[in-house]
Amino acid sequence: MPRQHHRTCHICEASCGIVVTLEGREVVSIKGDPDHALSRGHICPKATAIADLQADPDRLRQPHKRVGDQWQAIGWDQAFTEIGERVRALLARDPASVALYLGNPNAHNYATTLNSGPLFKALGRPQIFSASTVDQIPHQVVNLKLFGHSALWSIPDIENTETLIVLGGNPMASNGSLWVTPGFRERAKALRARGGQLIVIDPRRGETAEIADRHLFVRPGTDAFLLVALLKAVLARGPARLPDWVDGWGEVEAALAAFDAAECAAIAAVPMAEIDHLAERLTRGPAALYGRMGVATQVHGTLNCWLIALINLAAGQMDRTGGIVFPKAPVDLAAALGPGSMGRRTSRVSGYPDVFGEFPASALAEEIDTPGAGQVRGLFLVAGNPVLSVPNGARLGRAMEGLDLIVAVDMYRTASTRLAHYILPPVGPLERDHYGLFQMAMAARNFGKYSPPALEPEAGALQDWEILRGLAGAISGQPVQAPAPREMLDGLLRAGPYGLTLAELEAAESGIDFGAVEGGQLPARLKTRDQRLHCAPAEFLAALARLPAEAPEPAGNRLHLIGRRHVRTNNSWLANSRRLTKGPDRCTLLIHPDDARARGLADGAEAQVTSKSGAVRLKAELSDSMMPGTVSIPHGWGHGLPGVALSVAAERPGVSVNDLTDETAIDPLSNNAGLAGVMVEVAPV
Ligand SMILES: Nc1nc2c(c(=O)[nH]1)N[C@H]1C(S)=C(S)[C@@H](COP(=O)(O)OP(=O)(O)OC[C@H]3O[C@@H](n4cnc5c(=O)[nH]c(N)nc54)[C@H](O)[C@@H]3O)O[C@H]1N2
Ligand SMILES: Nc1nc2c(c(=O)[nH]1)N[C@H]1C(S)=C(S)[C@@H](COP(=O)(O)OP(=O)(O)OC[C@H]3O[C@@H](n4cnc5c(=O)[nH]c(N)nc54)[C@H](O)[C@@H]3O)O[C@H]1N2
Ligand code: SF4
Ligand SMILES: [Mo]
C-alpha cells in the first residue's frame, strides 16, 4: 500500500512543502503540498531528486577508511575508536592543530546545529571555518551591529510591497536566500498584477531580470558606490524618515558629505537618472531594497549590507508592512542563540580577527600549508566540499593532501572527501526528521512545520547528530550526555512566541500558519542594550571613509568574473542525479558577443580562462545577457578529480570556478570572501 508523508524539502532555503509517496522503501512520487501555507504547492526540480539521493548507489551507507588509494568499509566502533586515538595524538602534540570546516547543509539540519557544541569542546579550541564566510556572514554582522543580534533577520514584504529592488540575488534560480520565498515567480507575478514593480540590478540579465519590469547592469564589485549614490538620491528627496528608535543618523549624513553621487554612479556604471528613479520608487510607496549573495560576497560586502539597511531606513521602509519586515518564527533565534561576538582571537598566519568564532574559509589553506606552532594537521569536514566552494580551492586541495588526518562527515566521495582518511556517512535524506530552525526566521509568512522521518534508517545507520556526538565522545573519552534533538526543539518551541509544543506542530501535517509577516515589530524586538537601532557603528563609518580609495582598478584587457546558479543544481552536491543533470551543458563561460569577438572566440568553442590563482578550460556561450566586460562561470563544478566516486557527475564533471577566485580578497569587516569581479583573461584554446 502506498503511503504519503508530508515533509519539508531540505535542499535549499525555500523550504517547500512536499508530499512524498512511498511504497515500502521505494519513492513513488514527490509532489508539492498544496495545503502548505508558505509554499502553496510550489516545488522545483530538485525536490524530485530527493528520490535519487535516497536511492543513489554511489551514496555511502557505512563508514569508509582510506588506506593509500584503497577504501575499506568499516564499522562505526572501529571508526570512532581509531579517530579518537588519532585526534588525541594530534592534540597532544599541538592542542591548536585541529580545525573544522562546516558546509552549507548544516544550516538545513536543526539537529546538527544543536549538537556541534560537544565536538567543538572535545577538540579544545579548534579553528572553525565554514561556508558562511563564502556567503552570508556580512548580513549577520550588520544584524549584530544595527539590531543587536546576528540572527535577528529581516526580509522584503513581497506580498504588500509596491516596489521590490533586487540587488545581487537571483531568486528565480536560487529560490531566494536569507529570504524564504518559495514560488518566487508567483509572488512576483502577483506584485506586478497589483501594479507594483520588480527591478533587478545585476551584471547579468538573469532569470529574475527576465521577469522584471526593469533591469540595470552594474559593474561587478562596485555596488557600494551605487548604494552611496542611491542613499544620497533618497536624501535629496527630503529628510530621512526615521523612526524615533534610531541613533547615529547625523554621523551617517556627515560621512556621506564626502561623496559625489554622480561620481559614484559613474564608477558603478549605472546612469544617475536610473538611480533617481529608484529613489523615487523607494520614497513613494511601500518599497523594499533587497541585497544578497552577489553583494555580500565582495570585499565591501558588509558595507553593502549596511548601506542597504540605511537606504531602507532613510526611505521609511524599515519595519514597515510592505517594506522590510521582521518575521516571527515559532523558534525565536534571537532568544535561543547568543547574539554573536567578534574579534576575540586572531588567525595564526594572517591575523584575521574571528567573526562569530570563525576565521575566513579563504584562510583555511594558509593555516594548513604554513608551518609553525598551531599549524593545522587534522581537519573535520562536516557536510562541506571546500575544494570546490572556497576561493582558490585548488590550493586548499593541495594543502589537504599533506594533512595527517581528515575526517569527513558526508555521504559521497567528492573533490574534498576523496582526500579524507575516514568518511562517515549519515542516514539517507528521508530517514531523518526536519525543522527549518534558521529558515523560518526569514520566511515570507510566519510559519512552522516539523517533519518526522519518512523512512526508518537502514540497519546500523547514524544521523549526523549521532555521528557528531559519537566523535565527541570518542575524542574526549566521555560519552555525550544531552537530551535528544527532538526534546531540545520542543523546549525551543515552547519558549517561542507561540508557546507551541513539538507534538502540536508535528500533528499539523502541512505545518501551522501564523499569518502574514508584519511591520511594527521594532523597537520591541531589538536586542541592543538600549533597545535602539544603532545605524552608525564606528568601524562601518571608517570603512565608508576608505571607500573612495578602494574603487576597482581599471580592467584593461581583462574581464570581470562573476558566478551564477541554475535551478537544477545546488552548490556542488546534486550533480549525481541524472534527472537534474540532463539537458544542455551548464558549466559554461557566459560572455558578451562583443567581448568574444574581440578575442576571436566563437559560440561553443573552448575558452581558456586565466586569473592570478589559476586557469580553467570550458565551453564559451555567447550571450548579450552579460554586461560587456563581464563573464560568468557557475560554481559547484569540477567533479573530475581522481578518486571522486560520483558516477553520474563524472559524465559531465565541469570545472571549478574556484580555481580562479582569489583567497586573499576578504571583507575586513566580516571575513567574507570577495568573489565579485575577479579579473580574468579569456582566450580561445
Ligand atoms: N565561486 C563561488 N563560490 C561559492 C559560491 C558562489 O556563488 N561562487 N557560493 C558559496 C555558497 S553561498 C555556499 S553556501 C558554499 C557551499 O559550500 P559547501 O557547503 O562547502 O559545499 P556544498 O557544495 O554545499 O557541499 C555540501 C557537502 O555536504 C554533503 N551533504 C549534503 N547533505 C548532507 C547531509 O545531510 N549531511 C552531511 N553530513 N553531508 C551532506 C554533500 O555531499 C557535499 O559534499 O559555496 C560557496 N562558494
Ligand atoms: N538552484 C539553486 N538554488 C540555490 C543554490 C544553488 O546552488 N542552486 N544555492 C543556495 C545557496 S547556498 C545560496 S547562498 C543561495 C544564493 O542565492 P542568491 O543570493 O539569489 O544567489 P545567486 O543565484 O548566485 O545570485 C547572485 C546574483 O548576483 C549577481 N552578481 C554577481 N556579482 C555581482 C555584483 O558585483 N553586483 C551585483 N549587484 N550582483 C552581482 C549574479 O549575477 C547573480 O545573478 O541560493 C541557494 N539556492
Ligand atoms: S525550491 Fe528548494 S526547497 Fe523548494 S523544492 Fe526546490 S530545492 Fe526544495
Ligand atoms: Mo550559500
Side-chain angles (χ1 to χ4, degrees):
M1 268 296 280
R3 50 188 206 285
Q4 289 195 330
H5 288 263
H6 290 66
R7 283 184 72 74
T8 301
C9 174
H10 68 293
I11 292 175
C12 87
E13 294 167 61
S15 308
C16 300
I18 54 175
V19 183
V20 183
T21 305
L22 290 157
E23 204 160 345
R25 292 188 69 85
E26 191 128 347
V27 177
V28 180
S29 70
I30 298 181
K31 299 210 159 84
D33 178 357
D35 299 324
H36 192 277
L38 181 61
S39 62
R40 304 165 186 161
H42 171 83
I43 51 166
C44 85
K46 292 186 290 303
T48 48
I50 293 174
D52 299 345
L53 279 177
Q54 181 66 37
D56 192 346
D58 290 338
R59 181 164 65 80
L60 302 178
R61 284 161 168 82
Q62 68 184 99
H64 279 67
K65 173 182 181 176
R66 180 168 61 84
V67 182
D69 52 13
Q70 297 299 308
W71 287 92
Q72 297 171 352
I74 59 171
W76 287 104
D77 284 344
Q78 184 188 344
F80 287 138
T81 305
E82 291 184 11
I83 293 166
E85 280 165 13
R86 290 175 71 167
V87 172
R88 281 197 300 273
L90 282 174
L91 294 176
R93 250 185 290 148
D94 182 344
S97 62
V98 178
L100 283 139
Y101 173 86
L102 309 172
N104 169 273
N106 287 295
H108 299 268
N109 190 330
Y110 85 92
T112 51
T113 303
L114 300 178
N115 279 286
S116 333
L119 179 59
F120 297 175
K121 199 165 157 225
L123 294 173
R125 287 184 69 198
Q127 302 187 44
I128 298 175
F129 303 83
S130 87
S132 287
T133 51
V134 199
D135 186 352
Q136 87 290 346
I137 204 159
H139 296 270
Q140 291 169 270
V141 171
V142 171
N143 289 348
L144 176 66
K145 297 287 173 176
L146 267 60
F147 310 131
H149 198 291
S150 58
L152 186 50
W153 292 104
S154 54
I155 60 166
D157 180 10
I158 190 169
E159 314 230 310
N160 295 296
T161 198
E162 286 173 13
T163 305
L164 172 64
I165 305 172
V166 175
L167 183 67
N170 186 8
M172 284 295 292
S174 68
N175 286 297
S177 186
L178 301 186
W179 178 24
V180 173
T181 172
F184 179 83
R185 182 197 293 274
E186 281 67 43
R187 289 180 153 99
K189 248 195 207 158
L191 160 69
R192 300 186 61 200
R194 351 177 254 280
Q197 280 197 11
L198 170 65
I199 303 171
V200 173
I201 309 173
D202 196 300
R204 170 176 168 247
R205 192 177 62 248
E207 293 79 355
T208 307
E210 289 292 351
I211 65 156
D213 296 274
R214 222 180 176 89
H215 166 248
L216 308 173
F217 282 130
V218 57
R219 186 175 292 149
T222 63
D223 297 84
F225 293 90
L226 164 67
L227 291 164
V228 167
L230 180 55
L231 181 51
K232 288 186 76 106
V234 165
L235 293 171
R237 295 184 161 264
R241 304 172 189 189
L242 299 179
D244 61 11
W245 30 264
V246 173
D247 283 340
W249 193 261
E251 290 161 75
V252 170
E253 292 218 16
L256 287 174
F259 292 86
D260 178 77
E263 274 172 30
C264 291
I267 292 171
V270 180
M272 207 48 226
E274 294 287 356
I275 293 175
D276 281 332
H277 171 74
L278 298 175
E280 195 265 319
R281 294 290 311 188
L282 279 166
T283 48
R284 185 203 305 184
L289 172 62
Y290 162 77
R292 219 1 233 126
M293 172 84 201
V295 288
T297 49
Q298 297 189 9
V299 291
H300 297 132
T302 306
L303 210 45
N304 289 337
C305 294
W306 175 50
L307 288 163
I308 289 168
L310 294 180
I311 291 166
N312 283 316
L313 264 172
Q317 307 298 349
M318 186 63 83
D319 190 32
R320 172 189 188 181
T321 299
I324 297 292
V325 289
F326 292 75
K328 209 162 154 184
V331 173
D332 181 4
L333 287 183
L337 310 174
S341 69
M342 298 169 60
R344 296 209 173 153
R345 55 204 284 215
T346 51
S347 72
R348 177 181 66 102
V349 179
S350 289
Y352 296 113
D354 82 280
V355 176
F356 312 137
E358 294 188 25
F359 295 132
S362 294
L364 176 55
E366 68 180 20
E367 292 296 332
I368 299 173
D369 66 21
T370 311
Q375 180 182 11
V376 171
R377 300 302 314 155
L379 178 65
F380 283 79
L381 290 177
V382 183
N385 192 356
V387 171
L388 299 188
S389 52
V390 162
N392 202 349
R395 173 180 174 188
L396 178 60
R398 285 191 301 273
M400 281 166 56
E401 278 173 33
L403 282 174
D404 294 332
L405 177 66
I406 303 178
V407 178
V409 183
D410 202 305
M411 65 283 192
Y412 284 111
R413 270 165 58 195
T414 67
S416 301
T417 65
R418 75 189 179 99
L419 302 170
H421 300 86
Y422 296 88
I423 304 181
L424 309 179
V427 296
L430 295 173
E431 299 165 22
R432 63 163 164 104
D433 67 344
H434 182 274
Y435 173 77
L437 187 65
F438 292 116
Q439 290 73 28
M440 292 308 104
M442 29 181 103
R445 287 189 76 77
N446 294 323
F447 184 81
K449 156 82 183 144
Y450 173 79
S451 317
L455 284 173
E456 282 293 309
E458 287 172 32
L462 298 183
Q463 299 196 43
D464 278 296
W465 66 270
E466 295 173 298
I467 299 171
L468 297 190
R469 283 191 186 179
L471 287 169
I475 294 162
S476 66
Q478 311 261 317
V480 175
Q481 306 285 350
R486 272 182 64 97
E487 287 170 50
M488 296 169 145
L489 180 59
D490 183 55
L492 292 173
L493 288 165
R494 285 170 193 266
Y498 309 111
L500 278 181
T501 64
L502 181 56
E504 285 166 332
L505 191 56
E506 186 168 358
E509 63 173 19
S510 295
I512 302 181
D513 183 27
F514 299 98
V517 287
E518 287 176 335
Q521 307 280 313
L522 304 189
R525 288 180 58 195
L526 289 173
K527 292 283 174 187
T528 47
R529 248 181 236 138
D530 53 4
Q531 243 185 30
R532 298 182 61 78
L533 190 156
H534 299 271
C535 67
E539 59 276 47
F540 293 6
L541 288 170
L544 185 60
R546 290 194 300 270
L547 181 64
E550 292 171 353
E553 51 175 311
N557 198 32
R558 291 170 300 173
L559 300 167
H560 290 288
L561 174 67
I562 61 168
R564 70 180 184 273
R565 285 176 159 74
H566 189 279
V567 76
R568 287 178 173 274
T569 64
N570 192 58
N571 298 328
S572 73
W573 66 276
L574 286 184
N576 215 42
S577 160
R578 200 172 296 279
R579 81 180 91 193
L580 292 182
T581 50
K582 68 185 180 202
D585 191 1
R586 291 187 192 100
C587 186
T588 60
L589 176 79
L590 279 183
I591 181 168
H592 191 278
D594 293 349
D595 291 325
R597 205 170 305 120
R599 288 162 181 76
L601 192 61
D603 191 36
E606 185 149 72
Q608 161 120 350
V609 185
T610 313
S611 74
K612 78 169 201 198
S613 301
V616 299
R617 287 178 172 192
L618 76 174
K619 198 160 85 182
E621 190 179 339
L622 273 51
S623 169
D624 68 4
S625 68
M626 291 306 300
M627 184 175 189
T630 303
V631 292
S632 162
I633 301 177
H635 76 291
W637 295 84
H639 308 292
L641 294 165
V644 177
L646 297 168
S647 49
V648 176
E651 295 167 19
R652 271 184 178 179
V655 295
S656 178
V657 68
N658 283 318
D659 289 354
L660 298 170
T661 48
D662 179 359
E663 79 278 27
T664 65
I666 290 181
D667 172 15
L669 298 175
S670 71
N671 281 345
N672 211 30
L675 298 175
V678 171
M679 304 256 211
V680 294
E681 279 166 40
V682 174
V685 171

